[in-house]
Amino acid sequence: AGDDPGVYSDNARHVMTIDGSAGGVQVTVDGFQIQRGFCVTALSGFGPDDGAGIKCDRADLSVANCTFERNFARNGGGIWISGTFATEPPLQGAGIFPSLQVETTEFLYNKGDQQGGGIFATIMNDSWVVNTRFDSNLATLGGGGAYLGAVRAQKSFDFANCVLWENWTDTGGGGLRFDEVNSLLDGFSKSRVVNCTLVGNFNADCSAGGAVE
């Protein structure tokens, strides 16, 4: 999946971090090149972490006209975004469910040491990725192009008019992996892949989903 991403000798673990823990945080990133974030091993001077390009915690994120290139993280080389969800009383069912909107953007040669080479997203509200290219991204444990975890019940995370080209994983969804564990979210989500082009995506162990699982 291209040259080894990241610069090992500096301390730029995340190119951008977004903290939405206070609630109600909305961020737009438009027209940037986000590249060579590195937050995987001791080579970066710290322990492994997620979201080398953008790490977005509990905030709504809109991305347009950007390029994410050669970012290397534990999960979500290009973008890592997650909400929170309480599973125990007295707050059971409460949470912060962010949304992600990506358009006219490229994810090139990004790597997730575990899941989500281009994008890792979980505990999400309605979200979409449109007119976006995922090319030569890699994730060891699924979702070379993008990995989708839990989505709020009756909500969707859609991919439309996207190109997924020669993304790679060791197991499960070389292009996209939908791993939507909704038992904690009181129902089922309804994510879709619409009018997308998937070419040459690869799952090394041939267990499921060379392109999509």
Side-chain angles (χ1 to χ4, degrees):
D3 296 334
D4 190 17
V7 177
Y8 304 151
S9 59
D10 65 13
N11 62 355
R13 299 201 336 130
H14 314 282
V15 177
M16 180 183 297
T17 58
I18 301 166
D19 181 3
S21 58
V25 176
Q26 298 177 327
V27 176
T28 297
V29 180
D30 191 340
F32 285 86
Q33 291 186 344
I34 297 174
Q35 59 187 8
R36 295 191 181 276
F38 185 88
C39 53
V40 178
T41 70
L43 290 172
S44 62
F46 303 89
D49 203 352
D50 304 315
I54 295 179
K55 183 175 184 179
C56 182
D57 182 16
R58 293 170 283 183
D60 293 336
L61 176 61
S62 176
V63 176
N65 308 306
C66 290
T67 299
F68 292 79
E69 185 171 4
R70 291 182 169 86
N71 299 287
F72 189 3
R74 176 175 56 188
N75 295 293
I79 295 174
W80 179 95
I81 180 170
S82 178
T84 57
F85 181 77
T87 60
E88 301 292 337
L91 298 177
Q92 186 171 4
I96 298 175
F97 300 88
S99 68
L100 175 65
Q101 298 177 354
V102 179
E103 60 181 316
T104 324
T105 289
E106 293 185 311
F107 293 85
L108 311 173
Y109 302 108
N110 301 285
K111 182 177 179 181
D113 198 44
Q114 295 181 8
Q115 296 167 321
I119 295 173
F120 176 101
T122 193
I123 314 180
M124 301 297 294
N125 213 329
D126 277 328
S127 299
W128 46 258
V129 180
V130 299
N131 300 322
T132 288
R133 183 179 183 91
F134 297 83
D135 191 332
S136 303
N137 302 284
L138 183 153
T140 304
L141 299 180
Y147 172 91
L148 177 61
V151 177
R152 196 172 189 179
Q154 307 306 317
K155 304 298 182 180
S156 66
F157 196 123
D158 298 336
F159 291 80
N161 303 317
C162 293
V163 174
L164 293 108
W165 190 276
E166 296 186 352
N167 301 284
W168 190 90
T169 185
D170 276 344
T171 176
L176 299 173
R177 182 171 183 178
F178 293 88
D179 193 12
E180 299 177 46
V181 182
N182 289 297
S183 59
L184 300 180
L185 305 183
D186 298 325
F188 295 95
S189 62
K190 48 184 179 181
S191 298
R192 295 161 290 199
V193 179
V194 180
N195 197 33
C196 291
T197 300
L198 302 101
V199 177
N201 300 283
F202 184 69
N203 172 15
D205 72 2
C206 300
S207 60
V212 179
E213 179 185 5

